[in-house]
Amino acid sequence: MSQLHVIDHPMIQHKLTIMRKKETGSKDFRELLTEISLLMGYEVTRDIALEDMPIETPLCPMTGKVVSGRKLAIVPILRAGIGMVDGLLNLVPVARVGHIGLYRNEETHTPVVYYCKLPEDIQQRMVILTDPMLATGGSACDAIAMLKERGCKNIRLMCLVAAPDGVAKVQQEHPDVGIYVAAVDQCLNENAYIVPGLGDAGDRIFGTK
């Protein structure tokens, strides 16, 4: 079963609480999401492979450590997942970025695919799949399946807030994919929104409501 990592650092929890407040505007929401994504990125990449590099400091030669081989790919699930990309790019500026477009059918609550553009060497990279909300898990599972079809073997799902239903679905369908979240909330409501949650992340990022 895939491992669930709840990254509950005090600064992440503080920023998440401000994001949850209904009076927090889009500008602050976006900035906080970028900051949290950067902080979460430290944990998501904690075990990334390193290799030796001989260098010279101002005082003497030494062998340092650098990230080895093909590095990272960041793949946001459109559209809300885009809000997490800048924070990760601040941490790993050389990462490649792909995009997977999914939207939720408001009647069936199931995901519909409309776009997929990935780096050509995606299968050689560790992929961080981003989406602020892990609700039913349908979109995440479909996106993971699309990545696996293209040869990806090292996939990590990074979300801000999750519902137990979404965590369970990903663990059942993709037990090899680690799940990284800042909080696991209580439940889903009748419209498949996370409660207490923070509302529609896409609308709050882009100010469309």
Side-chain angles (χ1 to χ4, degrees):
M1 179 176 291
S2 56
Q3 189 170 357
L4 173 64
H5 306 264
V6 180
I7 306 173
D8 57 357
H9 189 283
M11 291 310 301
I12 291 177
Q13 297 306 307
H14 171 82
K15 294 173 187 295
L16 176 58
T17 296
I18 298 172
M19 290 182 70
R20 290 184 189 269
K21 294 168 62 176
K22 64 181 181 180
E23 60 266 30
T24 298
S26 291
K27 176 181 180 293
D28 291 336
F29 192 94
R30 285 193 302 270
E31 291 176 352
L32 289 163
L33 181 56
T34 295
E35 293 167 7
I36 291 177
S37 299
L38 170 62
L39 295 172
M40 291 183 69
Y42 282 107
E43 291 301 317
V44 178
T45 59
R46 175 174 289 277
D47 61 348
I48 194 169
L50 297 173
E51 63 185 19
D52 292 338
M53 173 180 281
I55 63 169
E56 289 193 21
T57 76
L59 298 178
C60 66
M62 68 161 286
T63 300
K65 299 287 186 181
V66 295
V67 174
S68 66
R70 300 286 184 178
K71 301 176 179 67
L72 295 179
I74 304 164
V75 180
I77 298 176
L78 302 179
R79 65 181 167 149
I82 291 176
M84 304 179 80
V85 172
D86 282 350
L88 290 172
L89 284 176
N90 287 339
L91 179 65
V92 191
V94 296
R96 299 287 178 86
V97 180
H99 296 87
I100 292 178
L102 297 168
Y103 69 89
R104 187 174 73 162
N105 183 301
E106 292 301 326
E107 294 182 358
T108 64
H109 308 307
T110 57
V112 179
V113 180
Y114 66 90
Y115 186 74
C116 182
K117 180 70 172 179
L118 301 170
E120 290 183 356
D121 61 352
I122 188 78
Q123 71 280 356
Q124 300 176 39
R125 295 174 177 267
M126 185 179 92
V127 179
I128 302 176
L129 182 67
T130 65
D131 194 349
M133 314 301 284
L134 179 58
T136 65
S139 295
C141 285
D142 280 7
I144 293 167
M146 292 170 69
L147 290 169
K148 288 182 174 179
E149 287 171 2
R150 288 158 176 80
C152 299
K153 296 180 173 60
N154 187 358
I155 305 169
R156 298 171 187 204
L157 175 63
M158 180 174 137
C159 304
L160 193 62
V161 178
D165 311 57
V167 172
K169 184 175 179 65
V170 174
Q171 288 180 326
Q172 179 181 3
E173 295 191 14
H174 300 285
D176 56 327
V177 174
I179 305 168
Y180 295 79
V181 301
V184 178
D185 280 8
Q186 296 172 8
C187 62
L188 297 175
N189 66 12
E190 65 277 7
N191 293 316
Y193 279 96
I194 300 173
V195 177
L198 45 72
D200 186 299
D203 284 335
R204 297 196 66 185
I205 290 167
F206 300 109
T208 46
K209 274 191 181 177

